Amino acid sequence: METENSDVKISIIKAAGRLFIDKGYRATTIRQICAEAGVNIAAVNYHFGDKKNLYAAVIHYYKDSAFNKFPLDHGIRTGDSPRSKITSFIHAMAMRIFGEDSEPQFGKLLVRELIEPTGELDNLINDIFRPSFLKLSSLVKEILGKNATDRTIFFCSMSIVGQCLYFRNSPRLAGRMMKKENFSRQEIQTLADHISRFSLAALENYLTGKSTNPKG
Amino acid sequence: METENSDVKISIIKAAGRLFIDKGYRATTIRQICAEAGVNIAAVNYHFGDKKNLYAAVIHYYKDSAFNKFPLDHGIRTGDSPRSKITSFIHAMAMRIFGEDSEPQFGKLLVRELIEPTGELDNLINDIFRPSFLKLSSLVKEILGKNATDRTIFFCSMSIVGQCLYFRNSPRLAGRMMKKENFSRQEIQTLADHISRFSLAALENYLTGKSTNPKG
DNA sequence: TTTGCTTTCATACAACTGTTTAAAATGCTT
DNA sequence: AAGCATTTTAAACAGTTGTATGAAAGCAAA
């Protein structure tokens, strides 16, 4: 059995990726994958061993694809202002999560794994979530200043990530743009612009803002 | 066949709810549900017709439970300040989404349905998402003021909802509190306090804040 | 106790699942 | 062209799924 990624393996990975993104791991059958890829039923087991291994290969493939195009420090230059750095980070994160046009939507796979872990979640946390979150936290800390506690930095970073993921997976409300399958780069930038603006406005007034006690 | 909710029906709904929340609709089998509820395997089909109908009953049951305890205007009094109103709204939303201790976590069912619609999604959008979102939007509008466009109000409301749902479904990062199965009321309030504070800081400076253009 | 209805039960069924197998086809080296 | 390893194929496998069935049990009213 070959170890490199042959054409057949790639075509299976891509077909499986489309289906996993669209229907999820469990609801996608090997027969569907093979039909979509135009290969025999036994091809998955021959080339990947089993369905679980194929899924891991799909995650790996799309993860590399997303982070090769938009690495963690994409658009961030050392001399940039904290505002500019966090804005660049959010834009790159949005591009990874949304994908462009018909590109794979890595964020959908991520969220699916969050909701219904298949066993790859631990790898994803170590490979993706943790380093990405740590990078974001360091940028958040630059904005909040030295008075911010680790807990505050943590919560604020969570708030930023949450916005990105929800925009990708929100329901269709009224006749608006959300819940589209694919977004153009222009639309992704519009969303990333909002998230950056919203988050920066929050971060720059988080420590000085009034209390939110409902009674007060 | 009875039309009221008998004891057996309730116990099946509750057992199914626990399993659907934990493993999702597809991964949960009727045999598991009946074992958990201590009833015969044919009970689901006898009392609910089929699995899909049972799922709809589960959604309906937990939805009513969550909104009876924490309705849309929970804690909101007419004379309250806009800040106080939106804070109360976020706290109630958090309670509905997280549930308390071992209470049903309605947010998990919601997000599962967002990620992998079973057909109930359209009902949920009409019954839950849309009215809740409209209520939140009206409160956001109060804070942003009359200069805010509908588009701005929409995006900012999305940002608030996104935070709540992500906190419920975030991965376990380091040894922190997230990705717990159950949250105490104290922990939910802590999260809601942060989300309120973050969002209010954002809303009150969104229109006056500087641009987020990465170049600037 | 008998009657008639509702509910429970063990069992069975057809459809679908991931996976395996052994033979056929293909490609590559000599 | 021959030999050999790799890949593809059709067919089958055992296990699980949601659902259906017909008999047994429960139960209230007469």
Side-chain angles (χ1 to χ4, degrees), chain A residues 122-156:
Chain A
D122 286 342
N123 294 334
L124 280 176
I125 288 176
N126 288 329
D127 294 355
I128 306 287
F129 281 102
R130 204 188 310 279
S132 176
F133 194 82
L134 289 179
K135 176 72 178 175
L136 175 59
S137 295
S138 74
L139 300 178
V140 165
K141 186 174 188 175
E142 284 190 45
I143 305 249
L144 286 174
K146 58 188 62 166
N147 284 339
T149 64
D150 283 351
R151 184 176 160 284
T152 296
I153 294 167
F154 173 73
F155 277 163
C156 288

Side-chain angles (χ1 to χ4, degrees), chain A residues 77-94:
Chain A
R77 286 148 304 193
T78 46
D80 285 349
S81 69
R83 284 179 63 89
S84 173
K85 280 196 238 177
I86 213 165
T87 300
S88 294
F89 181 91
I90 289 173
H91 276 251
M93 177 166 61

Side-chain angles (χ1 to χ4, degrees), chain B residues 81-108:
Chain B
S81 68
R83 284 180 61 90
S84 173
K85 280 196 237 176
I86 212 165
T87 299
S88 294
F89 182 91
I90 289 173
H91 276 252
M93 176 165 62
M95 287 303 296
R96 288 193 298 269
I97 287 177
F98 282 83
E100 197 175 348
D101 295 325
S102 61
E103 296 260 326
Q105 304 145 350
F106 187 49
K108 278 206 163 187

Side-chain angles (χ1 to χ4, degrees), chain A residues 16-17 20-21 38 74-75 99 110 115 122 130 133 137 139 150 158 163 194:
Chain A
F20 286 151
I21 287 173
H74 183 265
L110 281 188
I115 302 300
D122 286 342
R130 204 188 310 279
F133 194 82
S137 295
L139 300 178
D150 283 351
M158 292 278 294
Q163 291 176 68
H194 157 73

